[in-house]
Amino acid sequence: DGGITQSPKYLFRKEGQNVTLSCEQNLNHDAMYWYRQDPGQGLRLIYYSQIVNDFQKGDIAEGYSVSREKKESFPLTVTSAQKNPTAFYLCASSFQSMNTEAFFGQGTRLTVV
Amino acid sequence: QKEVEQNSGPLSVPEGAIASLNCTYSDRVSQSFFWYRQYSGKSPELIMSIYSNGDKEDGRFTAQLNKASQYVSLLIRDSQPSDSATYLCAVRGNQGGKLIFGQGTELSVKP
């Protein structure tokens, strides 16, 4: 099946630990995105990548890091520097050209205790 | 000013009525506009995309774009209780690049 897979669906971590969220797509999409959603809020852009080995900061990149070594994969690391990491994390992907649609994975709900 | 702004909501309409959802954006060179529906606890799903001025219809949904006014809207005709969800407006600038979302409008359709 073609699609975007995020894993795990639920993740619990102790405060001060780094954690990596996985996002894989087999749609041959060029661009990939990470968003954070807090309860009752919209999606805020953390990082995005338009091509392998290149990525750009979004509006709330502090405390997060990413890599894009393969076209299919765009993992997000939530570092201990992120002050309030508990949230719903969403990965999306799209083709690079302008008028193309983005599709989402099922999300990872991270809880830091 | 936020890049993409939506009605604060929640918006409540009776079953069978037309629901009207609005969105404004600040970047004049934005080229691509999208509406997503998000059920509680789930990820967003794309319901409409629009790229040129005017109306675009798909079943009970109509997206309207006015680039001069930097305004995009979504009309849902014959609203059903299953339409109850949060609707997210998203905008992408020219040359592709980042996709920015509004804060979402919660819609409740009452039987």
Side-chain angles (χ1 to χ4, degrees), chain A residues 33 35 37 40-43 45 48 50 59 88 90 94 96-106 109, chain B residues 3 31-32 34 36 38 41-44 46 49 51 88 92 94-103:
Chain A
Y33 311 82
Y35 294 90
Q37 187 174 38
Q41 303 294 313
L43 278 60
L45 182 64
Y48 66 105
Q50 296 176 264
D59 299 320
F88 188 38
L90 289 156
S94 72
Q96 170 61 0
S97 55
M98 193 167 58
N99 292 346
T100 56
E101 300 150 342
F103 299 94
F104 284 85
Q106 76 273 29
R109 197 166 297 278
Chain B
E3 292 183 75
Q31 295 292 333
S32 310
F34 308 93
Y36 288 82
Q38 186 178 27
K42 302 295 186 183
S43 63
L46 180 72
S49 58
Y51 308 122
L88 297 161
R92 180 186 278 134
N94 61 351
Q95 301 174 9
K98 63 181 182 178
L99 183 64
I100 300 298
F101 283 78
Q103 72 271 32

mmCIF file of all heavy atoms in Angstrom, chain A residues 33 35 37 40-43 45 48 50 59 88 90 94 96-106 109, chain B residues 3 31-32 34 36 38 41-44 46 49 51 88 92 94-103:
data_model
loop_
_atom_site.group_PDB
_atom_site.id
_atom_site.type_symbol
_atom_site.label_atom_id
_atom_site.label_comp_id
_atom_site.label_asym_id
_atom_site.label_seq_id
_atom_site.Cartn_x
_atom_site.Cartn_y
_atom_site.Cartn_z
ATOM 1 N N TYR A 33 7.375 17.057 5.638
ATOM 2 C CA TYR A 33 7.117 18.092 6.641
ATOM 3 C C TYR A 33 6.883 17.456 8.011
ATOM 4 O O TYR A 33 6.311 16.368 8.109
ATOM 5 C CB TYR A 33 5.843 18.884 6.302
ATOM 6 C CG TYR A 33 5.742 19.387 4.894
ATOM 7 C CD1 TYR A 33 5.293 18.561 3.867
ATOM 8 C CD2 TYR A 33 6.067 20.709 4.584
ATOM 9 C CE1 TYR A 33 5.189 19.021 2.577
ATOM 10 C CE2 TYR A 33 5.954 21.177 3.288
ATOM 11 C CZ TYR A 33 5.512 20.328 2.289
ATOM 12 O OH TYR A 33 5.405 20.789 1.013
ATOM 13 N N TYR A 35 5.007 18.589 11.694
ATOM 14 C CA TYR A 35 4.172 19.560 12.389
ATOM 15 C C TYR A 35 3.958 19.084 13.829
ATOM 16 O O TYR A 35 3.969 17.895 14.126
ATOM 17 C CB TYR A 35 2.807 19.692 11.732
ATOM 18 C CG TYR A 35 2.848 20.288 10.350
ATOM 19 C CD1 TYR A 35 2.978 19.474 9.235
ATOM 20 C CD2 TYR A 35 2.764 21.660 10.154
ATOM 21 C CE1 TYR A 35 3.021 20.004 7.960
ATOM 22 C CE2 TYR A 35 2.803 22.206 8.884
ATOM 23 C CZ TYR A 35 2.933 21.367 7.800
ATOM 24 O OH TYR A 35 2.978 21.909 6.541
ATOM 25 N N GLN A 37 1.059 19.568 16.962
ATOM 26 C CA GLN A 37 -0.290 20.034 17.275
ATOM 27 C C GLN A 37 -0.528 19.867 18.767
ATOM 28 O O GLN A 37 -0.375 18.773 19.314
ATOM 29 C CB GLN A 37 -1.344 19.264 16.479
ATOM 30 C CG GLN A 37 -2.745 19.838 16.642
ATOM 31 C CD GLN A 37 -3.748 19.160 15.748
ATOM 32 O OE1 GLN A 37 -3.704 17.949 15.543
ATOM 33 N NE2 GLN A 37 -4.675 19.938 15.199
ATOM 34 N N GLY A 40 -6.546 21.541 20.872
ATOM 35 C CA GLY A 40 -7.342 22.692 20.463
ATOM 36 C C GLY A 40 -6.620 23.686 19.578
ATOM 37 O O GLY A 40 -7.140 24.784 19.331
ATOM 38 N N GLN A 41 -5.455 23.297 19.082
ATOM 39 C CA GLN A 41 -4.657 24.209 18.264
ATOM 40 C C GLN A 41 -4.516 23.688 16.841
ATOM 41 O O GLN A 41 -4.766 22.519 16.564
ATOM 42 C CB GLN A 41 -3.257 24.367 18.881
ATOM 43 C CG GLN A 41 -3.259 24.853 20.309
ATOM 44 C CD GLN A 41 -3.788 26.263 20.429
ATOM 45 O OE1 GLN A 41 -3.403 27.149 19.670
ATOM 46 N NE2 GLN A 41 -4.686 26.475 21.384
ATOM 47 N N GLY A 42 -4.059 24.577 15.970
ATOM 48 C CA GLY A 42 -3.754 24.169 14.610
ATOM 49 C C GLY A 42 -2.401 23.493 14.531
ATOM 50 O O GLY A 42 -1.804 23.134 15.556
ATOM 51 N N LEU A 43 -1.904 23.328 13.317
ATOM 52 C CA LEU A 43 -0.614 22.682 13.100
ATOM 53 C C LEU A 43 0.476 23.737 12.979
ATOM 54 O O LEU A 43 0.344 24.691 12.208
ATOM 55 C CB LEU A 43 -0.646 21.851 11.805
ATOM 56 C CG LEU A 43 -1.255 20.462 11.879
ATOM 57 C CD1 LEU A 43 -2.698 20.486 12.307
ATOM 58 C CD2 LEU A 43 -1.101 19.756 10.544
ATOM 59 N N LEU A 45 4.487 24.363 12.024
ATOM 60 C CA LEU A 45 5.546 23.737 11.244
ATOM 61 C C LEU A 45 6.857 23.727 12.019
ATOM 62 O O LEU A 45 7.328 24.768 12.475
ATOM 63 C CB LEU A 45 5.723 24.490 9.921
ATOM 64 C CG LEU A 45 6.747 23.944 8.951
ATOM 65 C CD1 LEU A 45 6.360 22.558 8.462
ATOM 66 C CD2 LEU A 45 6.898 24.893 7.760
ATOM 67 N N TYR A 48 10.855 21.340 7.440
ATOM 68 C CA TYR A 48 10.439 20.750 6.194
ATOM 69 C C TYR A 48 11.652 20.541 5.294
ATOM 70 O O TYR A 48 12.679 21.215 5.451
ATOM 71 C CB TYR A 48 9.361 21.581 5.483
ATOM 72 C CG TYR A 48 9.787 22.943 4.996
ATOM 73 C CD1 TYR A 48 10.013 23.186 3.647
ATOM 74 C CD2 TYR A 48 9.911 24.009 5.886
ATOM 75 C CE1 TYR A 48 10.376 24.445 3.194
ATOM 76 C CE2 TYR A 48 10.271 25.261 5.442
ATOM 77 C CZ TYR A 48 10.492 25.477 4.098
ATOM 78 O OH TYR A 48 10.864 26.728 3.664
ATOM 79 N N GLN A 50 12.659 19.776 1.115
ATOM 80 C CA GLN A 50 12.184 19.728 -0.269
ATOM 81 C C GLN A 50 13.009 18.776 -1.118
ATOM 82 O O GLN A 50 12.610 18.446 -2.240
ATOM 83 C CB GLN A 50 12.214 21.139 -0.882
ATOM 84 C CG GLN A 50 11.254 22.095 -0.172
ATOM 85 C CD GLN A 50 11.349 23.501 -0.723
ATOM 86 O OE1 GLN A 50 12.055 24.344 -0.185
ATOM 87 N NE2 GLN A 50 10.607 23.773 -1.775
ATOM 88 N N ASP A 59 8.500 27.295 11.933
ATOM 89 C CA ASP A 59 8.259 28.353 12.908
ATOM 90 C C ASP A 59 8.687 27.994 14.328
ATOM 91 O O ASP A 59 8.891 28.873 15.158
ATOM 92 C CB ASP A 59 6.766 28.698 12.914
ATOM 93 C CG ASP A 59 6.305 29.206 11.557
ATOM 94 O OD1 ASP A 59 7.060 29.968 10.922
ATOM 95 O OD2 ASP A 59 5.210 28.824 11.117
ATOM 96 N N PHE A 88 1.033 16.142 19.862
ATOM 97 C CA PHE A 88 0.717 15.234 18.759
ATOM 98 C C PHE A 88 1.595 15.675 17.587
ATOM 99 O O PHE A 88 1.529 16.828 17.159
ATOM 100 C CB PHE A 88 -0.772 15.366 18.441
ATOM 101 C CG PHE A 88 -1.309 14.374 17.456
ATOM 102 C CD1 PHE A 88 -0.891 13.062 17.454
ATOM 103 C CD2 PHE A 88 -2.278 14.750 16.539
ATOM 104 C CE1 PHE A 88 -1.411 12.130 16.561
ATOM 105 C CE2 PHE A 88 -2.812 13.836 15.634
ATOM 106 C CZ PHE A 88 -2.382 12.533 15.646
ATOM 107 N N LEU A 90 2.825 15.289 13.661
ATOM 108 C CA LEU A 90 2.314 14.857 12.370
ATOM 109 C C LEU A 90 3.359 15.049 11.283
ATOM 110 O O LEU A 90 3.981 16.104 11.189
ATOM 111 C CB LEU A 90 1.058 15.648 12.014
ATOM 112 C CG LEU A 90 -0.173 15.297 12.850
ATOM 113 C CD1 LEU A 90 -1.157 16.453 12.878
ATOM 114 C CD2 LEU A 90 -0.836 14.039 12.291
ATOM 115 N N SER A 94 4.604 15.574 0.083
ATOM 116 C CA SER A 94 3.981 16.012 -1.163
ATOM 117 C C SER A 94 5.032 16.005 -2.266
ATOM 118 O O SER A 94 6.240 15.921 -1.997
ATOM 119 C CB SER A 94 3.403 17.424 -1.010
ATOM 120 O OG SER A 94 4.445 18.386 -0.959
ATOM 121 N N GLN A 96 7.105 18.115 -5.101
ATOM 122 C CA GLN A 96 7.755 19.387 -4.906
ATOM 123 C C GLN A 96 7.062 20.530 -5.646
ATOM 124 O O GLN A 96 7.071 21.650 -5.203
ATOM 125 C CB GLN A 96 9.221 19.288 -5.369
ATOM 126 C CG GLN A 96 9.973 20.588 -5.458
ATOM 127 C CD GLN A 96 10.079 21.321 -4.138
ATOM 128 O OE1 GLN A 96 9.583 20.858 -3.117
ATOM 129 N NE2 GLN A 96 10.699 22.474 -4.151
ATOM 130 N N SER A 97 6.448 20.248 -6.768
ATOM 131 C CA SER A 97 5.909 21.338 -7.575
ATOM 132 C C SER A 97 4.780 22.052 -6.842
ATOM 133 O O SER A 97 4.179 21.527 -5.919
ATOM 134 C CB SER A 97 5.422 20.803 -8.925
ATOM 135 O OG SER A 97 4.488 19.762 -8.726
ATOM 136 N N MET A 98 4.491 23.242 -7.283
ATOM 137 C CA MET A 98 3.683 24.191 -6.542
ATOM 138 C C MET A 98 2.276 23.695 -6.237
ATOM 139 O O MET A 98 1.847 23.645 -5.092
ATOM 140 C CB MET A 98 3.619 25.473 -7.357
ATOM 141 C CG MET A 98 3.093 26.660 -6.628
ATOM 142 S SD MET A 98 3.443 28.132 -7.584
ATOM 143 C CE MET A 98 2.626 27.753 -9.134
ATOM 144 N N ASN A 99 1.540 23.321 -7.231
ATOM 145 C CA ASN A 99 0.131 22.970 -7.044
ATOM 146 C C ASN A 99 -0.036 21.481 -6.804
ATOM 147 O O ASN A 99 -0.634 20.760 -7.615
ATOM 148 C CB ASN A 99 -0.679 23.417 -8.260
ATOM 149 C CG ASN A 99 -0.755 24.932 -8.348
ATOM 150 O OD1 ASN A 99 -0.445 25.644 -7.393
ATOM 151 N ND2 ASN A 99 -1.147 25.428 -9.502
ATOM 152 N N THR A 100 0.517 21.048 -5.706
ATOM 153 C CA THR A 100 0.377 19.631 -5.344
ATOM 154 C C THR A 100 -0.052 19.531 -3.892
ATOM 155 O O THR A 100 0.238 20.401 -3.078
ATOM 156 C CB THR A 100 1.689 18.861 -5.538
ATOM 157 O OG1 THR A 100 2.720 19.494 -4.780
ATOM 158 C CG2 THR A 100 2.077 18.803 -6.996
ATOM 159 N N GLU A 101 -0.728 18.460 -3.595
ATOM 160 C CA GLU A 101 -1.351 18.290 -2.294
ATOM 161 C C GLU A 101 -0.442 17.524 -1.351
ATOM 162 O O GLU A 101 0.353 16.687 -1.779
ATOM 163 C CB GLU A 101 -2.678 17.548 -2.469
ATOM 164 C CG GLU A 101 -3.643 18.302 -3.361
ATOM 165 C CD GLU A 101 -4.588 17.402 -4.127
ATOM 166 O OE1 GLU A 101 -4.305 16.205 -4.238
ATOM 167 O OE2 GLU A 101 -5.616 17.913 -4.606
ATOM 168 N N ALA A 102 -0.575 17.812 -0.076
ATOM 169 C CA ALA A 102 0.189 17.110 0.951
ATOM 170 C C ALA A 102 -0.720 16.139 1.692
ATOM 171 O O ALA A 102 -1.896 16.431 1.931
ATOM 172 C CB ALA A 102 0.798 18.102 1.944
ATOM 173 N N PHE A 103 -0.142 14.998 2.038
ATOM 174 C CA PHE A 103 -0.898 13.966 2.737
ATOM 175 C C PHE A 103 -0.174 13.621 4.027
ATOM 176 O O PHE A 103 1.055 13.694 4.097
ATOM 177 C CB PHE A 103 -1.054 12.737 1.842
ATOM 178 C CG PHE A 103 -1.798 13.032 0.581
ATOM 179 C CD1 PHE A 103 -1.111 13.359 -0.581
ATOM 180 C CD2 PHE A 103 -3.172 13.033 0.559
ATOM 181 C CE1 PHE A 103 -1.789 13.672 -1.750
ATOM 182 C CE2 PHE A 103 -3.862 13.336 -0.609
ATOM 183 C CZ PHE A 103 -3.172 13.656 -1.760
ATOM 184 N N PHE A 104 -0.962 13.203 5.027
ATOM 185 C CA PHE A 104 -0.429 13.007 6.363
ATOM 186 C C PHE A 104 -0.332 11.540 6.756
ATOM 187 O O PHE A 104 -1.131 10.702 6.306
ATOM 188 C CB PHE A 104 -1.324 13.710 7.393
ATOM 189 C CG PHE A 104 -1.133 15.192 7.424
ATOM 190 C CD1 PHE A 104 -1.804 16.021 6.547
ATOM 191 C CD2 PHE A 104 -0.258 15.761 8.346
ATOM 192 C CE1 PHE A 104 -1.612 17.395 6.569
ATOM 193 C CE2 PHE A 104 -0.061 17.125 8.380
ATOM 194 C CZ PHE A 104 -0.737 17.942 7.492
ATOM 195 N N GLY A 105 0.630 11.274 7.617
ATOM 196 C CA GLY A 105 0.654 10.012 8.343
ATOM 197 C C GLY A 105 -0.363 10.043 9.472
ATOM 198 O O GLY A 105 -1.068 11.043 9.658
ATOM 199 N N GLN A 106 -0.418 8.972 10.238
ATOM 200 C CA GLN A 106 -1.450 8.869 11.280
ATOM 201 C C GLN A 106 -1.057 9.573 12.570
ATOM 202 O O GLN A 106 -1.868 9.685 13.486
ATOM 203 C CB GLN A 106 -1.785 7.404 11.567
ATOM 204 C CG GLN A 106 -0.754 6.672 12.401
ATOM 205 C CD GLN A 106 0.356 6.058 11.572
ATOM 206 O OE1 GLN A 106 0.714 6.553 10.497
ATOM 207 N NE2 GLN A 106 0.917 4.972 12.061
ATOM 208 N N ARG A 109 1.697 10.360 19.091
ATOM 209 C CA ARG A 109 1.357 11.125 20.298
ATOM 210 C C ARG A 109 2.462 10.906 21.319
ATOM 211 O O ARG A 109 2.628 9.793 21.830
ATOM 212 C CB ARG A 109 0.002 10.687 20.847
ATOM 213 C CG ARG A 109 -0.601 11.676 21.814
ATOM 214 C CD ARG A 109 -2.074 11.371 22.078
ATOM 215 N NE ARG A 109 -2.908 11.491 20.882
ATOM 216 C CZ ARG A 109 -3.394 12.627 20.408
ATOM 217 N NH1 ARG A 109 -3.129 13.763 21.019
ATOM 218 N NH2 ARG A 109 -4.155 12.625 19.338
ATOM 219 N N GLU B 3 0.181 34.181 9.647
ATOM 220 C CA GLU B 3 0.235 33.964 8.211
ATOM 221 C C GLU B 3 -1.084 33.470 7.652
ATOM 222 O O GLU B 3 -1.478 33.831 6.542
ATOM 223 C CB GLU B 3 1.348 32.968 7.901
ATOM 224 C CG GLU B 3 2.741 33.527 8.186
ATOM 225 C CD GLU B 3 3.836 32.557 7.806
ATOM 226 O OE1 GLU B 3 4.111 32.404 6.603
ATOM 227 O OE2 GLU B 3 4.415 31.947 8.724
ATOM 228 N N GLN B 31 0.181 30.577 -3.604
ATOM 229 C CA GLN B 31 -0.334 30.041 -4.853
ATOM 230 C C GLN B 31 -1.271 28.852 -4.692
ATOM 231 O O GLN B 31 -2.086 28.580 -5.559
ATOM 232 C CB GLN B 31 0.842 29.613 -5.741
ATOM 233 C CG GLN B 31 1.731 30.742 -6.192
ATOM 234 C CD GLN B 31 1.028 31.671 -7.171
ATOM 235 O OE1 GLN B 31 0.120 31.265 -7.886
ATOM 236 N NE2 GLN B 31 1.439 32.935 -7.169
ATOM 237 N N SER B 32 -1.119 28.119 -3.600
ATOM 238 C CA SER B 32 -1.880 26.876 -3.446
ATOM 239 C C SER B 32 -2.617 26.914 -2.116
ATOM 240 O O SER B 32 -2.040 27.313 -1.098
ATOM 241 C CB SER B 32 -0.936 25.666 -3.459
ATOM 242 O OG SER B 32 -0.067 25.715 -4.554
ATOM 243 N N PHE B 34 -5.564 24.859 0.483
ATOM 244 C CA PHE B 34 -6.093 23.545 0.791
ATOM 245 C C PHE B 34 -7.012 23.608 2.006
ATOM 246 O O PHE B 34 -6.809 24.410 2.914
ATOM 247 C CB PHE B 34 -4.944 22.566 1.107
ATOM 248 C CG PHE B 34 -3.866 22.541 0.057
ATOM 249 C CD1 PHE B 34 -2.751 23.355 0.173
ATOM 250 C CD2 PHE B 34 -3.969 21.715 -1.042
ATOM 251 C CE1 PHE B 34 -1.755 23.351 -0.792
ATOM 252 C CE2 PHE B 34 -2.982 21.698 -2.009
ATOM 253 C CZ PHE B 34 -1.880 22.518 -1.893
ATOM 254 N N TYR B 36 -8.434 20.905 4.903
ATOM 255 C CA TYR B 36 -8.319 19.583 5.510
ATOM 256 C C TYR B 36 -9.393 19.450 6.593
ATOM 257 O O TYR B 36 -9.759 20.419 7.254
ATOM 258 C CB TYR B 36 -6.947 19.395 6.176
ATOM 259 C CG TYR B 36 -5.792 19.244 5.203
ATOM 260 C CD1 TYR B 36 -5.206 20.353 4.618
ATOM 261 C CD2 TYR B 36 -5.281 17.990 4.896
ATOM 262 C CE1 TYR B 36 -4.142 20.225 3.737
ATOM 263 C CE2 TYR B 36 -4.215 17.837 4.015
ATOM 264 C CZ TYR B 36 -3.659 18.963 3.436
ATOM 265 O OH TYR B 36 -2.604 18.820 2.574
ATOM 266 N N GLN B 38 -10.226 17.323 10.120
ATOM 267 C CA GLN B 38 -9.560 16.546 11.158
ATOM 268 C C GLN B 38 -10.571 16.148 12.227
ATOM 269 O O GLN B 38 -11.119 17.005 12.914
ATOM 270 C CB GLN B 38 -8.400 17.334 11.792
ATOM 271 C CG GLN B 38 -7.588 16.507 12.771
ATOM 272 C CD GLN B 38 -6.418 17.267 13.367
ATOM 273 O OE1 GLN B 38 -6.442 18.488 13.478
ATOM 274 N NE2 GLN B 38 -5.373 16.546 13.751
ATOM 275 N N GLY B 41 -8.518 13.409 17.560
ATOM 276 C CA GLY B 41 -7.550 12.336 17.770
ATOM 277 C C GLY B 41 -6.969 11.729 16.517
ATOM 278 O O GLY B 41 -6.139 10.825 16.600
ATOM 279 N N LYS B 42 -7.395 12.220 15.359
ATOM 280 C CA LYS B 42 -6.928 11.662 14.085
ATOM 281 C C LYS B 42 -6.057 12.673 13.347
ATOM 282 O O LYS B 42 -5.980 13.839 13.719
ATOM 283 C CB LYS B 42 -8.124 11.283 13.205
ATOM 284 C CG LYS B 42 -9.071 10.282 13.847
ATOM 285 C CD LYS B 42 -8.405 8.950 14.076
ATOM 286 C CE LYS B 42 -9.399 7.922 14.590
ATOM 287 N NZ LYS B 42 -8.735 6.624 14.892
ATOM 288 N N SER B 43 -5.434 12.211 12.274
ATOM 289 C CA SER B 43 -4.629 13.116 11.466
ATOM 290 C C SER B 43 -5.513 13.802 10.423
ATOM 291 O O SER B 43 -6.593 13.310 10.086
ATOM 292 C CB SER B 43 -3.485 12.356 10.798
ATOM 293 O OG SER B 43 -3.975 11.390 9.907
ATOM 294 N N PRO B 44 -5.082 14.946 9.896
ATOM 295 C CA PRO B 44 -5.886 15.672 8.901
ATOM 296 C C PRO B 44 -6.000 14.900 7.596
ATOM 297 O O PRO B 44 -5.058 14.234 7.163
ATOM 298 C CB PRO B 44 -5.087 16.963 8.691
ATOM 299 C CG PRO B 44 -4.216 17.095 9.893
ATOM 300 C CD PRO B 44 -3.885 15.705 10.293
ATOM 301 N N LEU B 46 -7.200 15.504 3.496
ATOM 302 C CA LEU B 46 -7.452 16.525 2.489
ATOM 303 C C LEU B 46 -8.852 16.373 1.926
ATOM 304 O O LEU B 46 -9.269 15.280 1.546
ATOM 305 C CB LEU B 46 -6.429 16.392 1.361
ATOM 306 C CG LEU B 46 -6.559 17.384 0.220
ATOM 307 C CD1 LEU B 46 -6.120 18.770 0.681
ATOM 308 C CD2 LEU B 46 -5.717 16.931 -0.964
ATOM 309 N N SER B 49 -8.656 21.177 -2.691
ATOM 310 C CA SER B 49 -7.532 22.036 -3.047
ATOM 311 C C SER B 49 -8.033 23.026 -4.093
ATOM 312 O O SER B 49 -8.934 22.706 -4.876
ATOM 313 C CB SER B 49 -6.381 21.207 -3.612
ATOM 314 O OG SER B 49 -6.801 20.487 -4.739
ATOM 315 N N TYR B 51 -6.466 26.393 -6.692
ATOM 316 C CA TYR B 51 -5.245 27.075 -7.112
ATOM 317 C C TYR B 51 -5.514 28.360 -7.893
ATOM 318 O O TYR B 51 -4.603 29.174 -8.084
ATOM 319 C CB TYR B 51 -4.391 26.142 -7.981
ATOM 320 C CG TYR B 51 -4.127 24.795 -7.338
ATOM 321 C CD1 TYR B 51 -4.506 23.617 -7.973
ATOM 322 C CD2 TYR B 51 -3.502 24.702 -6.104
ATOM 323 C CE1 TYR B 51 -4.260 22.381 -7.388
ATOM 324 C CE2 TYR B 51 -3.254 23.475 -5.510
ATOM 325 C CZ TYR B 51 -3.640 22.311 -6.163
ATOM 326 O OH TYR B 51 -3.397 21.097 -5.577
ATOM 327 N N LEU B 88 -9.233 22.668 8.767
ATOM 328 C CA LEU B 88 -7.963 23.386 8.737
ATOM 329 C C LEU B 88 -7.724 23.947 7.344
ATOM 330 O O LEU B 88 -7.810 23.218 6.349
ATOM 331 C CB LEU B 88 -6.809 22.441 9.096
ATOM 332 C CG LEU B 88 -6.851 21.841 10.500
ATOM 333 C CD1 LEU B 88 -5.962 20.617 10.582
ATOM 334 C CD2 LEU B 88 -6.402 22.857 11.526
ATOM 335 N N ARG B 92 0.239 27.383 0.678
ATOM 336 C CA ARG B 92 1.635 27.204 0.265
ATOM 337 C C ARG B 92 2.020 28.366 -0.637
ATOM 338 O O ARG B 92 1.258 28.786 -1.502
ATOM 339 C CB ARG B 92 1.829 25.894 -0.470
ATOM 340 C CG ARG B 92 3.275 25.658 -0.934
ATOM 341 C CD ARG B 92 3.399 24.405 -1.778
ATOM 342 N NE ARG B 92 3.501 23.219 -0.960
ATOM 343 C CZ ARG B 92 2.795 22.104 -1.186
ATOM 344 N NH1 ARG B 92 1.959 22.038 -2.181
ATOM 345 N NH2 ARG B 92 2.943 21.063 -0.406
ATOM 346 N N ASN B 94 4.670 30.570 -3.356
ATOM 347 C CA ASN B 94 5.137 30.244 -4.705
ATOM 348 C C ASN B 94 6.384 29.394 -4.621
ATOM 349 O O ASN B 94 7.010 29.272 -3.580
ATOM 350 C CB ASN B 94 5.401 31.524 -5.505
ATOM 351 C CG ASN B 94 6.474 32.389 -4.872
ATOM 352 O OD1 ASN B 94 6.919 32.136 -3.763
ATOM 353 N ND2 ASN B 94 6.897 33.403 -5.584
ATOM 354 N N GLN B 95 6.722 28.716 -5.670
ATOM 355 C CA GLN B 95 7.872 27.819 -5.750
ATOM 356 C C GLN B 95 7.781 26.670 -4.743
ATOM 357 O O GLN B 95 8.804 26.156 -4.287
ATOM 358 C CB GLN B 95 9.182 28.593 -5.521
ATOM 359 C CG GLN B 95 9.386 29.717 -6.524
ATOM 360 C CD GLN B 95 10.594 30.571 -6.211
ATOM 361 O OE1 GLN B 95 11.383 30.236 -5.338
ATOM 362 N NE2 GLN B 95 10.758 31.649 -6.923
ATOM 363 N N GLY B 96 6.573 26.276 -4.426
ATOM 364 C CA GLY B 96 6.447 25.187 -3.472
ATOM 365 C C GLY B 96 6.876 25.650 -2.098
ATOM 366 O O GLY B 96 6.600 26.763 -1.693
ATOM 367 N N GLY B 97 7.598 24.827 -1.371
ATOM 368 C CA GLY B 97 8.083 25.275 -0.081
ATOM 369 C C GLY B 97 7.110 24.996 1.044
ATOM 370 O O GLY B 97 6.266 24.107 0.947
ATOM 371 N N LYS B 98 7.227 25.756 2.099
ATOM 372 C CA LYS B 98 6.519 25.395 3.321
ATOM 373 C C LYS B 98 5.016 25.543 3.179
ATOM 374 O O LYS B 98 4.505 26.387 2.451
ATOM 375 C CB LYS B 98 7.035 26.218 4.490
ATOM 376 C CG LYS B 98 6.829 27.712 4.386
ATOM 377 C CD LYS B 98 7.425 28.377 5.620
ATOM 378 C CE LYS B 98 7.203 29.867 5.614
ATOM 379 N NZ LYS B 98 7.750 30.500 6.841
ATOM 380 N N LEU B 99 4.321 24.691 3.901
ATOM 381 C CA LEU B 99 2.871 24.618 3.920
ATOM 382 C C LEU B 99 2.423 25.067 5.296
ATOM 383 O O LEU B 99 2.750 24.428 6.297
ATOM 384 C CB LEU B 99 2.439 23.185 3.636
ATOM 385 C CG LEU B 99 0.951 22.878 3.548
ATOM 386 C CD1 LEU B 99 0.320 23.604 2.381
ATOM 387 C CD2 LEU B 99 0.751 21.374 3.411
ATOM 388 N N ILE B 100 1.700 26.184 5.338
ATOM 389 C CA ILE B 100 1.332 26.797 6.622
ATOM 390 C C ILE B 100 -0.162 26.617 6.874
ATOM 391 O O ILE B 100 -0.979 26.849 5.979
ATOM 392 C CB ILE B 100 1.680 28.296 6.629
ATOM 393 C CG1 ILE B 100 3.182 28.482 6.413
ATOM 394 C CG2 ILE B 100 1.262 28.943 7.948
ATOM 395 C CD1 ILE B 100 4.048 27.876 7.503
ATOM 396 N N PHE B 101 -0.497 26.249 8.126
ATOM 397 C CA PHE B 101 -1.874 25.996 8.512
ATOM 398 C C PHE B 101 -2.421 27.107 9.395
ATOM 399 O O PHE B 101 -1.694 27.730 10.168
ATOM 400 C CB PHE B 101 -1.964 24.677 9.275
ATOM 401 C CG PHE B 101 -1.889 23.465 8.400
ATOM 402 C CD1 PHE B 101 -0.672 23.031 7.902
ATOM 403 C CD2 PHE B 101 -3.030 22.781 8.054
ATOM 404 C CE1 PHE B 101 -0.600 21.920 7.077
ATOM 405 C CE2 PHE B 101 -2.974 21.663 7.229
ATOM 406 C CZ PHE B 101 -1.756 21.240 6.741
ATOM 407 N N GLY B 102 -3.717 27.307 9.294
ATOM 408 C CA GLY B 102 -4.433 28.131 10.255
ATOM 409 C C GLY B 102 -4.702 27.334 11.522
ATOM 410 O O GLY B 102 -4.371 26.150 11.612
ATOM 411 N N GLN B 103 -5.336 27.993 12.490
ATOM 412 C CA GLN B 103 -5.561 27.340 13.781
ATOM 413 C C GLN B 103 -6.736 26.387 13.761
ATOM 414 O O GLN B 103 -6.949 25.640 14.719
ATOM 415 C CB GLN B 103 -5.741 28.395 14.886
ATOM 416 C CG GLN B 103 -7.060 29.155 14.829
ATOM 417 C CD GLN B 103 -6.957 30.397 13.968
ATOM 418 O OE1 GLN B 103 -6.212 30.461 12.983
ATOM 419 N NE2 GLN B 103 -7.740 31.407 14.311
#
